[in-house]
Amino acid sequence: RADIKMQYKQLWVWNLKLSDAGIYTCEYGTHKVRTSLHIFKLMISLNGHFLQNEVPELILMQNSSSPLPDLSITLFDSNNNRVTPELQNKSRQKYIVKIKKLGAMDSGTWVCQVHSDSPLINQNISFAVKVLGFQNPDLERKYATVDSTVILSWHLNSQEIKWKEGFTGQLNWKQQESAKSHELLDFNVTAQGQLHETKKSNNLLFEIPERKSESTIEVKLPKVHFNHSGQYQCQLEYQGRYAQSKIELVVMKVSANPAGPLSRGANMTLTCQVSGPLPPNAYLRWERVNGTKMDIKDSKQHEVRLEVNISTAGLWSCHLIEDSDKKISFHYHVEEASVWINYVIIGASIGGSLLAFAFGCLCIISGISWQRRRQRAKRMAQARQYLLENKTCQCQQ
Protein backbone atom coordinates (compact mmCIF):
# COMPACT_ATOMS: atom_id res chain seq x y z
CA ARG A 1 0.00 0.00 0.00
CA ALA A 2 3.01 2.28 -0.28
CA ASP A 3 5.35 3.52 -2.93
CA ILE A 4 8.36 5.85 -2.92
CA LYS A 5 8.64 8.46 -5.62
CA MET A 6 12.40 9.00 -5.62
CA GLN A 7 12.15 11.73 -8.21
CA TYR A 8 10.07 13.88 -5.88
CA LYS A 9 11.31 12.36 -2.61
CA GLN A 10 7.74 11.40 -1.73
CA LEU A 11 6.15 8.50 0.08
CA TRP A 12 2.75 7.53 -1.28
CA VAL A 13 0.41 5.54 0.98
CA TRP A 14 -3.11 4.60 -0.07
CA ASN A 15 -6.04 2.86 1.57
CA LEU A 16 -5.03 4.39 4.85
CA LYS A 17 -5.85 2.64 8.10
CA LEU A 18 -5.92 3.95 11.65
CA SER A 19 -2.80 1.88 12.34
CA ASP A 20 -0.92 3.91 9.71
CA ALA A 21 -0.87 6.91 12.04
CA GLY A 22 2.50 7.83 13.56
CA ILE A 23 5.77 9.61 12.84
CA TYR A 24 7.41 9.08 9.47
CA THR A 25 11.15 9.87 9.10
CA CYS A 26 12.88 10.69 5.85
CA GLU A 27 16.66 10.22 5.93
CA TYR A 28 18.85 11.66 3.22
CA GLY A 29 22.50 11.43 4.06
CA THR A 30 22.93 13.07 7.43
CA HIS A 31 19.59 14.89 7.12
CA LYS A 32 16.48 13.65 8.86
CA VAL A 33 13.00 15.06 8.47
CA ARG A 34 10.11 13.86 10.61
CA THR A 35 6.42 14.14 9.71
CA SER A 36 3.52 13.27 11.98
CA LEU A 37 0.52 11.61 10.33
CA HIS A 38 -2.87 12.03 12.04
CA ILE A 39 -5.64 9.80 10.67
CA PHE A 40 -9.43 10.11 10.98
CA LYS A 41 -11.96 7.45 10.13
CA LEU A 42 -15.62 8.31 9.66
CA MET A 43 -18.29 5.59 9.53
CA ILE A 44 -22.02 6.00 8.94
CA SER A 45 -24.66 3.46 9.83
CA LEU A 46 -26.46 1.41 7.14
CA ASN A 47 -23.77 2.40 4.63
CA GLY A 48 -25.50 5.73 4.16
CA HIS A 49 -28.74 4.22 2.76
CA PHE A 50 -31.75 5.31 4.80
CA LEU A 51 -35.51 5.53 4.69
CA GLN A 52 -37.15 8.78 5.69
CA ASN A 53 -37.59 9.43 9.42
CA GLU A 54 -34.65 7.16 10.26
CA VAL A 55 -31.89 8.48 12.54
CA PRO A 56 -28.31 7.98 11.24
CA GLU A 57 -25.43 7.27 13.57
CA LEU A 58 -21.94 8.61 12.88
CA ILE A 59 -18.74 7.19 14.37
CA LEU A 60 -15.60 9.28 14.17
CA MET A 61 -12.31 7.64 15.17
CA GLN A 62 -8.80 9.14 15.28
CA ASN A 63 -5.24 7.93 15.80
CA SER A 64 -1.99 9.77 16.26
CA SER A 65 1.48 9.22 17.67
CA SER A 66 1.06 12.12 20.09
CA PRO A 67 -1.65 12.38 22.74
CA LEU A 68 -5.03 12.42 21.05
CA PRO A 69 -6.56 15.91 20.95
CA ASP A 70 -10.05 16.84 22.18
CA LEU A 71 -12.14 17.34 19.07
CA SER A 72 -15.23 19.43 18.36
CA ILE A 73 -17.58 18.14 15.64
CA THR A 74 -19.87 20.23 13.43
CA LEU A 75 -22.14 18.80 10.76
CA PHE A 76 -23.53 20.43 7.59
CA ASP A 77 -26.32 18.79 5.61
CA SER A 78 -26.68 18.57 1.82
CA ASN A 79 -28.12 22.11 1.74
CA ASN A 80 -25.13 23.46 3.71
CA ASN A 81 -27.29 24.01 6.79
CA ARG A 82 -25.64 23.48 10.13
CA VAL A 83 -26.93 20.45 12.01
CA THR A 84 -26.50 20.02 15.73
CA PRO A 85 -25.86 16.33 16.43
CA GLU A 86 -26.63 14.50 19.65
CA LEU A 87 -23.45 13.24 21.24
CA GLN A 88 -23.92 9.66 22.43
CA ASN A 89 -20.42 8.66 23.42
CA LYS A 90 -17.15 10.52 23.64
CA SER A 91 -13.64 9.35 24.19
CA ARG A 92 -10.43 10.76 22.78
CA GLN A 93 -10.29 7.89 20.33
CA LYS A 94 -13.98 7.42 19.41
CA TYR A 95 -16.91 9.83 19.02
CA ILE A 96 -20.46 8.57 18.41
CA VAL A 97 -23.13 11.07 17.38
CA LYS A 98 -26.73 10.79 16.17
CA ILE A 99 -28.38 13.05 13.62
CA LYS A 100 -31.99 14.26 13.41
CA LYS A 101 -34.66 12.26 11.63
CA LEU A 102 -34.01 12.37 7.92
CA GLY A 103 -36.39 13.61 5.25
CA ALA A 104 -36.44 12.90 1.53
CA MET A 105 -34.83 16.31 0.86
CA ASP A 106 -31.78 15.47 3.02
CA SER A 107 -30.19 13.28 0.36
CA GLY A 108 -26.82 14.45 -0.90
CA THR A 109 -23.29 15.11 0.32
CA TRP A 110 -22.87 16.00 3.99
CA VAL A 111 -19.74 17.45 5.63
CA CYS A 112 -18.31 16.60 9.02
CA GLN A 113 -16.09 19.44 10.21
CA VAL A 114 -13.46 18.41 12.77
CA HIS A 115 -11.66 21.08 14.79
CA SER A 116 -8.95 21.12 17.46
CA ASP A 117 -6.97 24.01 18.94
CA SER A 118 -3.99 21.98 20.12
CA PRO A 119 -2.72 20.68 17.88
CA LEU A 120 -4.43 22.88 15.33
CA ILE A 121 -6.76 20.75 13.23
CA ASN A 122 -9.38 21.90 10.75
CA GLN A 123 -10.46 18.95 8.72
CA ASN A 124 -13.57 18.58 6.52
CA ILE A 125 -14.73 15.02 5.90
CA SER A 126 -17.49 14.58 3.34
CA PHE A 127 -19.83 11.61 3.24
CA ALA A 128 -22.84 10.61 1.12
CA VAL A 129 -26.36 10.24 2.48
CA LYS A 130 -29.16 8.67 0.45
CA VAL A 131 -32.68 8.92 1.83
CA LEU A 132 -35.38 6.95 0.06
CA GLY A 133 -38.80 8.37 0.82
CA PHE A 134 -41.82 10.41 -0.21
CA GLN A 135 -41.76 13.99 -1.32
CA ASN A 136 -45.35 14.37 -0.04
CA PRO A 137 -46.04 16.20 3.23
CA ASP A 138 -46.09 14.07 6.37
CA LEU A 139 -49.91 14.06 6.39
CA GLU A 140 -51.55 15.31 3.21
CA ARG A 141 -55.27 16.13 3.06
CA LYS A 142 -57.16 16.01 -0.22
CA TYR A 143 -60.76 17.08 -0.84
CA ALA A 144 -63.26 15.80 -3.40
CA THR A 145 -66.98 16.05 -4.12
CA VAL A 146 -69.33 13.13 -4.64
CA ASP A 147 -69.29 11.75 -8.21
CA SER A 148 -66.10 13.66 -9.09
CA THR A 149 -62.81 12.11 -10.22
CA VAL A 150 -59.77 12.23 -7.95
CA ILE A 151 -56.19 10.98 -8.34
CA LEU A 152 -54.12 10.27 -5.24
CA SER A 153 -50.36 10.46 -5.86
CA TRP A 154 -47.27 9.58 -3.86
CA HIS A 155 -43.99 10.88 -5.27
CA LEU A 156 -40.83 8.90 -4.49
CA ASN A 157 -37.37 10.38 -4.81
CA SER A 158 -35.70 7.19 -6.04
CA GLN A 159 -34.92 8.70 -9.45
CA GLU A 160 -33.43 11.87 -7.99
CA ILE A 161 -31.00 9.99 -5.76
CA LYS A 162 -30.44 7.22 -8.37
CA TRP A 163 -31.42 4.47 -5.99
CA LYS A 164 -30.42 1.26 -7.72
CA GLU A 165 -31.18 -1.26 -5.00
CA GLY A 166 -34.55 -2.97 -4.87
CA PHE A 167 -37.46 -2.03 -2.65
CA THR A 168 -41.08 -3.07 -2.43
CA GLY A 169 -44.22 -1.49 -1.06
CA GLN A 170 -47.98 -1.49 -0.90
CA LEU A 171 -50.89 0.92 -0.82
CA ASN A 172 -53.59 0.40 1.81
CA TRP A 173 -56.92 2.10 2.49
CA LYS A 174 -59.11 2.25 5.55
CA GLN A 175 -62.02 4.52 6.40
CA GLN A 176 -61.02 5.17 10.01
CA GLU A 177 -57.89 4.83 12.10
CA SER A 178 -59.26 1.79 13.92
CA ALA A 179 -60.97 0.23 10.89
CA LYS A 180 -59.77 -2.78 8.94
CA SER A 181 -57.14 -2.01 6.33
CA HIS A 182 -57.64 -3.03 2.69
CA GLU A 183 -54.64 -3.53 0.40
CA LEU A 184 -55.31 -1.80 -2.91
CA LEU A 185 -52.05 -2.48 -4.75
CA ASP A 186 -48.46 -3.54 -4.26
CA PHE A 187 -45.38 -2.44 -6.18
CA ASN A 188 -41.68 -3.11 -6.60
CA VAL A 189 -38.77 -1.68 -8.51
CA THR A 190 -37.30 -3.52 -11.49
CA ALA A 191 -33.63 -3.98 -12.27
CA GLN A 192 -33.86 -0.92 -14.54
CA GLY A 193 -35.22 1.19 -11.70
CA GLN A 194 -38.81 1.19 -13.04
CA LEU A 195 -41.83 0.78 -10.80
CA HIS A 196 -44.14 -2.16 -11.41
CA GLU A 197 -47.60 -2.13 -9.82
CA THR A 198 -50.18 -4.86 -9.29
CA LYS A 199 -53.83 -4.29 -8.37
CA LYS A 200 -54.76 -6.35 -5.32
CA SER A 201 -58.34 -5.45 -4.33
CA ASN A 202 -61.72 -4.81 -5.89
CA ASN A 203 -63.25 -3.25 -2.79
CA LEU A 204 -63.10 0.08 -4.60
CA LEU A 205 -63.73 0.79 -8.26
CA PHE A 206 -60.31 2.39 -8.64
CA GLU A 207 -57.86 2.44 -11.52
CA ILE A 208 -54.09 2.64 -11.93
CA PRO A 209 -53.33 5.55 -14.29
CA GLU A 210 -51.10 4.64 -17.20
CA ARG A 211 -49.53 8.02 -17.88
CA LYS A 212 -47.50 9.26 -14.96
CA SER A 213 -44.02 10.39 -14.09
CA GLU A 214 -41.30 8.05 -12.91
CA SER A 215 -41.26 6.94 -9.28
CA THR A 216 -44.90 7.94 -8.74
CA ILE A 217 -47.51 5.72 -7.12
CA GLU A 218 -51.05 6.69 -8.15
CA VAL A 219 -54.60 5.47 -7.74
CA LYS A 220 -57.56 6.97 -9.59
CA LEU A 221 -61.12 7.03 -8.28
CA PRO A 222 -63.22 7.74 -11.41
CA LYS A 223 -66.44 8.34 -9.45
CA VAL A 224 -65.97 9.16 -5.80
CA HIS A 225 -68.54 7.87 -3.33
CA PHE A 226 -69.10 9.31 0.11
CA ASN A 227 -67.79 6.10 1.70
CA HIS A 228 -64.55 6.26 -0.31
CA SER A 229 -63.23 8.72 2.23
CA GLY A 230 -60.58 7.78 4.77
CA GLN A 231 -56.84 7.20 5.01
CA TYR A 232 -54.83 6.04 2.03
CA GLN A 233 -51.41 4.89 3.21
CA CYS A 234 -48.48 4.13 0.94
CA GLN A 235 -45.78 2.02 2.59
CA LEU A 236 -42.20 1.33 1.50
CA GLU A 237 -40.15 -1.67 2.59
CA TYR A 238 -36.38 -1.92 2.25
CA GLN A 239 -34.30 -4.59 3.97
CA GLY A 240 -36.91 -5.13 6.66
CA ARG A 241 -37.38 -1.42 7.37
CA TYR A 242 -40.45 0.64 6.58
CA ALA A 243 -41.41 4.18 5.62
CA GLN A 244 -44.94 5.41 4.99
CA SER A 245 -46.95 8.41 3.84
CA LYS A 246 -50.68 9.09 4.34
CA ILE A 247 -53.26 10.99 2.33
CA GLU A 248 -56.54 11.78 4.05
CA LEU A 249 -59.39 11.92 1.53
CA VAL A 250 -62.34 14.07 2.65
CA VAL A 251 -65.50 13.82 0.52
CA MET A 252 -68.29 16.43 0.38
CA LYS A 253 -71.95 15.85 -0.49
CA VAL A 254 -75.02 18.11 -0.71
CA SER A 255 -78.71 17.26 -0.37
CA ALA A 256 -82.03 19.16 -0.37
CA ASN A 257 -85.24 18.59 1.58
CA PRO A 258 -87.69 18.61 -0.03
CA ALA A 259 -86.04 17.84 -3.35
CA GLY A 260 -87.29 19.45 -6.53
CA PRO A 261 -88.36 22.95 -7.57
CA LEU A 262 -88.97 25.59 -4.91
CA SER A 263 -92.48 27.03 -4.95
CA ARG A 264 -93.25 30.62 -4.05
CA GLY A 265 -93.67 31.05 -0.33
CA ALA A 266 -92.22 27.62 0.40
CA ASN A 267 -88.99 26.76 2.24
CA MET A 268 -86.24 24.27 1.49
CA THR A 269 -83.39 22.91 3.65
CA LEU A 270 -79.98 22.49 2.02
CA THR A 271 -77.49 20.23 3.81
CA CYS A 272 -73.74 20.21 3.18
CA GLN A 273 -71.71 17.44 4.80
CA VAL A 274 -68.10 16.26 4.74
CA SER A 275 -66.98 12.75 5.52
CA GLY A 276 -64.28 13.43 8.06
CA PRO A 277 -63.16 15.83 10.77
CA LEU A 278 -61.78 19.17 9.65
CA PRO A 279 -58.66 20.91 10.96
CA PRO A 280 -59.23 23.79 13.42
CA ASN A 281 -58.59 26.39 10.71
CA ALA A 282 -61.25 24.98 8.33
CA TYR A 283 -65.02 25.47 8.16
CA LEU A 284 -68.03 25.11 5.84
CA ARG A 285 -69.92 27.98 4.24
CA TRP A 286 -73.26 28.20 2.42
CA GLU A 287 -73.85 31.17 0.16
CA ARG A 288 -76.09 32.12 -2.75
CA VAL A 289 -74.25 33.18 -5.89
CA ASN A 290 -74.84 36.91 -6.51
CA GLY A 291 -76.75 37.02 -3.24
CA THR A 292 -76.46 39.25 -0.20
CA LYS A 293 -74.71 38.84 3.15
CA MET A 294 -78.00 37.54 4.50
CA ASP A 295 -77.54 34.51 2.21
CA ILE A 296 -74.25 33.47 3.88
CA LYS A 297 -73.98 30.99 6.73
CA ASP A 298 -70.77 29.56 8.25
CA SER A 299 -70.33 26.45 10.32
CA LYS A 300 -68.86 26.41 13.78
CA GLN A 301 -65.46 24.92 14.59
CA HIS A 302 -65.24 21.13 14.17
CA GLU A 303 -68.71 20.97 12.56
CA VAL A 304 -68.85 18.59 9.59
CA ARG A 305 -72.50 19.25 8.71
CA LEU A 306 -74.11 22.59 7.87
CA GLU A 307 -77.79 23.22 7.13
CA VAL A 308 -79.39 26.36 5.71
CA ASN A 309 -83.09 27.11 5.31
CA ILE A 310 -83.81 28.99 2.09
CA SER A 311 -86.85 30.54 0.45
CA THR A 312 -85.07 31.92 -2.62
CA ALA A 313 -84.26 29.91 -5.73
CA GLY A 314 -80.94 30.25 -7.54
CA LEU A 315 -77.41 28.82 -7.49
CA TRP A 316 -76.27 27.95 -3.99
CA SER A 317 -72.69 26.96 -3.20
CA CYS A 318 -71.16 25.11 -0.28
CA HIS A 319 -67.47 25.89 0.23
CA LEU A 320 -64.85 24.20 2.38
CA ILE A 321 -62.53 27.00 3.45
CA GLU A 322 -59.14 26.44 5.04
CA ASP A 323 -56.90 29.37 5.97
CA SER A 324 -59.09 31.70 3.87
CA ASP A 325 -58.54 29.44 0.86
CA LYS A 326 -61.50 27.68 -0.80
CA LYS A 327 -60.29 24.10 -1.00
CA ILE A 328 -63.42 22.74 -2.66
CA SER A 329 -66.91 23.89 -3.65
CA PHE A 330 -70.17 22.08 -4.39
CA HIS A 331 -72.71 24.02 -6.45
CA TYR A 332 -76.42 23.19 -6.11
CA HIS A 333 -78.99 24.81 -8.40
CA VAL A 334 -82.37 25.38 -6.77
CA GLU A 335 -84.99 25.75 -9.47
CA GLU A 336 -88.04 27.92 -9.06
CA ALA A 337 -91.33 26.17 -9.72
CA SER A 338 -93.06 27.32 -12.96
CA VAL A 339 -96.16 29.53 -12.82
CA TRP A 340 -98.50 26.78 -13.99
CA ILE A 341 -97.03 24.49 -11.36
CA ASN A 342 -97.77 27.14 -8.75
CA TYR A 343 -101.32 27.40 -10.12
CA VAL A 344 -101.65 23.62 -10.04
CA ILE A 345 -100.41 23.58 -6.48
CA ILE A 346 -102.77 26.40 -5.48
CA GLY A 347 -105.65 24.72 -7.31
CA ALA A 348 -104.79 21.41 -5.75
CA SER A 349 -104.72 23.05 -2.33
CA ILE A 350 -108.11 24.76 -2.90
CA GLY A 351 -109.54 21.64 -4.45
CA GLY A 352 -108.28 19.59 -1.58
CA SER A 353 -109.81 22.00 0.90
CA LEU A 354 -113.17 21.94 -0.92
CA LEU A 355 -113.03 18.17 -1.15
CA ALA A 356 -112.31 17.94 2.55
CA PHE A 357 -115.16 20.36 3.29
CA ALA A 358 -117.56 18.38 1.08
CA PHE A 359 -116.47 15.14 2.67
CA GLY A 360 -117.05 16.67 6.10
CA CYS A 361 -120.53 17.86 5.11
CA LEU A 362 -121.35 14.45 3.68
CA CYS A 363 -120.25 12.82 6.89
CA ILE A 364 -122.44 15.22 8.92
CA ILE A 365 -125.51 14.65 6.69
CA SER A 366 -124.96 10.90 6.76
CA GLY A 367 -124.64 11.03 10.54
CA ILE A 368 -127.87 13.02 10.94
CA SER A 369 -129.74 10.68 8.56
CA TRP A 370 -128.43 7.65 10.39
CA GLN A 371 -129.48 9.15 13.73
CA ARG A 372 -132.98 9.84 12.40
CA ARG A 373 -133.36 6.28 11.06
CA ARG A 374 -132.22 4.94 14.39
CA GLN A 375 -134.77 7.05 16.29
CA ARG A 376 -137.61 6.06 13.84
CA ALA A 377 -136.73 2.39 14.24
CA LYS A 378 -136.76 2.78 17.99
CA ARG A 379 -140.23 4.42 17.96
CA MET A 380 -141.64 1.68 15.71
CA ALA A 381 -140.26 -0.98 18.00
CA GLN A 382 -141.90 0.73 20.96
CA ALA A 383 -145.24 0.95 19.07
CA ARG A 384 -145.18 -2.76 18.18
CA GLN A 385 -144.44 -3.62 21.78
CA TYR A 386 -147.36 -1.47 22.91
CA LEU A 387 -149.80 -3.08 20.47
CA LEU A 388 -148.61 -6.53 21.42
CA GLU A 389 -149.18 -5.84 25.08
CA ASN A 390 -152.75 -4.48 24.43
CA LYS A 391 -153.71 -7.52 22.28
CA THR A 392 -152.56 -9.88 25.00
CA CYS A 393 -154.70 -8.14 27.54
CA GLN A 394 -157.88 -8.42 25.35
CA CYS A 395 -157.42 -12.17 24.93
CA GLN A 396 -157.22 -12.65 28.70
CA GLN A 397 -160.61 -10.91 29.22
Side-chain angles (χ1 to χ4, degrees), residues 3-32:
D3 188 19
I4 298 177
K5 305 291 185 181
M6 295 300 296
Q7 180 180 359
Y8 304 103
K9 299 181 177 61
Q10 292 178 342
L11 173 65
W12 288 73
V13 182
W14 54 88
N15 292 333
L16 288 173
K17 302 178 181 179
L18 286 174
S19 58
D20 293 329
I23 298 176
Y24 289 76
T25 303
C26 178
E27 296 184 0
Y28 185 74
T30 59
H31 300 281
K32 292 183 179 181

Side-chain angles (χ1 to χ4, degrees), residues 83-361:
V83 178
T84 302
E86 180 183 354
L87 187 61
Q88 297 291 314
N89 183 29
K90 176 182 177 181
S91 66
R92 289 295 178 93
Q93 186 178 9
K94 186 177 183 180
Y95 296 78
I96 301 177
V97 296
K98 284 191 174 182
I99 311 175
K100 63 175 184 177
K101 288 184 178 180
L102 294 176
M105 304 303 295
D106 290 326
S107 296
T109 301
W110 289 50
V111 174
C112 177
Q113 190 178 82
V114 181
H115 175 76
S116 171
D117 291 328
S118 179
L120 182 60
I121 297 175
N122 284 301
Q123 185 72 31
N124 290 335
I125 306 174
S126 60
F127 59 97
V129 174
K130 290 188 176 182
V131 185
L132 178 63
F134 302 92
Q135 296 174 338
N136 301 56
D138 290 337
L139 178 58
E140 187 176 354
R141 184 175 286 105
K142 197 173 185 66
Y143 300 105
T145 58
V146 169
D147 293 334
S148 66
T149 298
V150 63
I151 296 179
L152 305 178
S153 301
W154 287 263
H155 305 285
L156 296 170
N157 65 338
S158 58
Q159 292 291 330
E160 286 80 358
I161 62 177
K162 297 181 180 179
W163 190 284
K164 296 299 183 182
E165 300 180 55
F167 60 86
T168 61
Q170 61 184 20
L171 176 61
N172 303 317
W173 165 71
K174 55 184 177 180
Q175 284 193 284
Q176 298 176 352
E177 186 68 31
S178 58
K180 181 181 178 181
S181 180
H182 303 279
E183 184 178 356
L184 300 184
L185 60 89
D186 61 11
F187 56 91
N188 55 34
V189 64
T190 64
Q192 294 76 25
Q194 304 296 321
L195 281 172
H196 178 71
E197 300 163 329
T198 304
K199 190 173 181 178
K200 300 290 291 185
S201 172
N202 291 318
N203 290 321
L204 285 175
L205 297 177
F206 74 95
E207 302 173 0
I208 302 176
E210 295 181 359
R211 295 182 180 179
K212 56 188 175 182
S213 59
E214 299 293 341
S215 302
T216 300
I217 309 297
E218 289 184 349
V219 294
K220 177 182 179 181
L221 303 176
K223 193 173 184 180
V224 177
H225 296 169
F226 195 69
N227 60 355
H228 287 168
S229 62
Q231 293 182 357
Y232 292 77
Q233 176 177 290
C234 193
Q235 187 179 71
L236 284 175
E237 189 273 332
Y238 177 69
Q239 295 183 350
R241 294 134 50 201
Y242 297 90
Q244 61 188 21
S245 176
K246 294 181 181 179
I247 295 180
E248 181 81 18
L249 179 62
V250 179
V251 182
M252 174 190 288
K253 68 177 181 179
V254 167
S255 60
N257 186 27
L262 180 62
S263 303
R264 290 182 181 179
N267 290 327
M268 178 185 290
T269 300
L270 298 179
T271 302
C272 181
Q273 184 177 354
V274 292
S275 58
L278 298 176
N281 56 342
Y283 61 93
L284 299 174
R285 167 177 288 180
W286 268 116
E287 67 176 358
R288 184 167 65 93
V289 178
N290 298 327
T292 64
K293 292 184 178 180
M294 299 298 295
D295 297 324
I296 297 177
K297 184 178 180 181
D298 294 339
S299 67
K300 297 179 181 179
Q301 192 175 19
H302 302 302
E303 281 187 344
V304 296
R305 180 187 176 97
L306 179 62
E307 293 183 351
V308 58
N309 295 319
I310 66 170
S311 58
T312 305
L315 183 62
W316 289 80
S317 298
C318 180
H319 308 289
L320 195 156
I321 302 175
E322 183 177 351
D323 289 331
S324 302
D325 182 23
K326 292 181 181 179
K327 293 294 184 179
I328 194 171
S329 298
F330 199 118
H331 305 293
Y332 190 89
H333 184 67
V334 179
E335 295 182 356
E336 185 177 5
S338 302
V339 176
W340 68 271
I341 295 179
N342 289 327
Y343 289 155
V344 169
I345 294 174
I346 295 173
S349 300
I350 296 175
S353 300
L354 292 176
L355 183 62
F357 177 75
F359 182 74
C361 292

